[in-house]
Amino acid sequence: MSKDALTMRGPVHGTKDARRVAVGSGVGAVIETYDFIGFGTAAALYFGTAFFPGTDPVTGTLASFATLGVGFAARPLGGIIGGHLGDKVGRKPVLVASLILMGLATFAIGLLPTYAAVGLLAPALLVFVRIVQGLAFGAEWGGAILMSYEHAPWKAKGKYTGIVQAGFPVGLLLANLTFLFSVNLGGELAWRIPFLGSIVLVAVGLIIRSKVPESPVFDEVKDSGAIVKSPIVEVIKTDWRNIVKGIGLRVAETAGYAVSITYMISYLNSQHLADKSQTLIALCIASAIGIFATQAWAALTDRIGRRPLYVWSTLFAALFAIPMFLLVNTGMFIAIIITIVISYAVCQNSLAGAQGAWFPELFQAKTRASGASLAYQISAMVSGFTPFITTLLFVSFGWMGPALLFGAYALIGLWAAVATRETWGKRERELAEEATKSTPNTINA
C-alpha cells in the first residue's frame, strides 16, 4: 500500500476531536446495544410466556427467538439505508437518526400489551417494533465506527475504534444489570422497566452526538466531487469479494455470540443449571471484563495487524466449542462464570476488537459506509435466527448440536480471516511511522 492510499484513512495525527468522536460514537453504541440486546435477554427469559402463551415451553421459546431473529433480518436493510446515506449525505446524520429511531422503538416495547390483553395483536406489535429496532441498529454501526476511524490517527485506528466497539459490552452490562434489578419486581414490570428506562439513555446520547463533528474523510470526498450516485451498487460491483469475506469474518463473532450467550441464557435456565439471577450475574461479570478486553484486543491490532488476531481467535473458538458445554453442564456456578467470560471476553471481544479497524480498511472511502455496513449487517441474519436453529438442534441432538454449530461458525471465520488481505501489515505500519515523524502535528501545536 502506498502513502497516498493511507491518506484516505484521514489526517496522519488524527483530528483534535478524535477522542471526543470515539467516545460520542461509543456512547451511542452503548445505548443501541442496551436496547437491541435487552430484547434478546427478555426473549430468552420472559417473552415466551408474555406473548406466546398456551404452548409448551420449547415452542414458546422458539416463537420468542423467531421474533428476536426478525430484528436481525431487518438489519441488512438498515445497513443498506444507513450506508447509502452515510456515503451520500454524511456519517453524522445517520448516527443521530438511528439513535432516535432505536429509542422510540425500544420505549414502545415497554408499553406493548401482552397476549392475555389483546390476543394475536400482541405478538404482531412485538414483531413490528422489533423490525424497527433492526432497521435502526443496522444503520448505526457503519456511521459510528467510520466516524471514529476517520477521525483517529493512522497509528491508532484500532485503539480508537476499540472505544466504539467497547460500547457494546457496556450496553450489554447495563441491560443485564437492569434485568438483574427488575427480576425482583415480578410480573410484567420485570421486563417492562428495562425498556421504558432506556429513554433516559437515548436523551443523553442525542445530546452527545449532536456535538460530534462530521468525518474529515467524508468532507474530503464531498469537496473533491467523488461522491458516487449509488454507493451500494458501486460497492457491490467493485468490492463484492470483500463483502463476502466480511460476512464470513462477522459470522464467527455475531453468530458465535448468538450460541454462546443468547442461546446459553435459555439453555442454562431450561436445563436448571442456573437460575435467572445467576445467569444474569455471570453475564454482568463477562460484559464488565469485556469492556476492557475489547479495547485491549483492538489496540493489539495496531501492533501486530488485524488478521493475526482473527486467525488465532477463531482457531481458539473452534477448539473451545465442546469444552464450553462440558463446563456449564457441571452445574457449578464458578464453571458457568468462567465459561461465559471466555466465550465473551475472548471468543467474541477479540473479533469485535479487530473488526472496528479492519472492516473500514477493506473499502474505498467513497463507498466505505456502504461496504462496511453490508458486510457487517448481512451476517446478522445468520446470527439472528441462530438461537432458533440452536434450540432445534438441541431438541434433535442434545447439547452436542449447539456445540458443533458454534465450532462451525468459528471455522467459517477462520477461513475468511485467511482469505482476507491484511490491511495493517508490516509495510503499512512502517509507512505510517514515517508519515507520523515527517508530518507536523498541528493538533497540539
Side-chain angles (χ1 to χ4, degrees), residues 304-325:
I304 67 172
R306 323 301 185 198
R307 186 163 60 180
L309 176 60
Y310 229 93
V311 169
W312 287 109
S313 295
T314 49
L315 180 60
F316 174 82
L319 296 174
F320 185 63
I322 291 177
M324 177 172 68
F325 278 88

Side-chain angles (χ1 to χ4, degrees), residues 10-28:
V12 175
H13 298 283
T15 69
K16 62 182 179 62
D17 299 302
R19 184 168 294 277
R20 183 157 63 94
V21 169
V23 172
S25 297
V27 168

Side-chain angles (χ1 to χ4, degrees), residues 365-387:
K366 62 182 180 180
T367 56
R368 184 174 286 160
S370 298
S373 294
L374 272 178
Y376 196 84
Q377 301 301 347
I378 288 177
S379 60
M381 291 190 293
V382 179
S383 62
F385 289 100
T386 288

Side-chain angles (χ1 to χ4, degrees), residues 25 65 74 93 204 213 251 281 294 303 319 340 345 351 354 405 411 434 436:
S25 297
F65 279 153
V204 174
V251 159
I281 288 171
T294 301
R303 298 197 299 271
L319 296 174
I340 292 180
L351 304 184
L405 181 63
L411 291 176
E434 293 173 6
T436 301

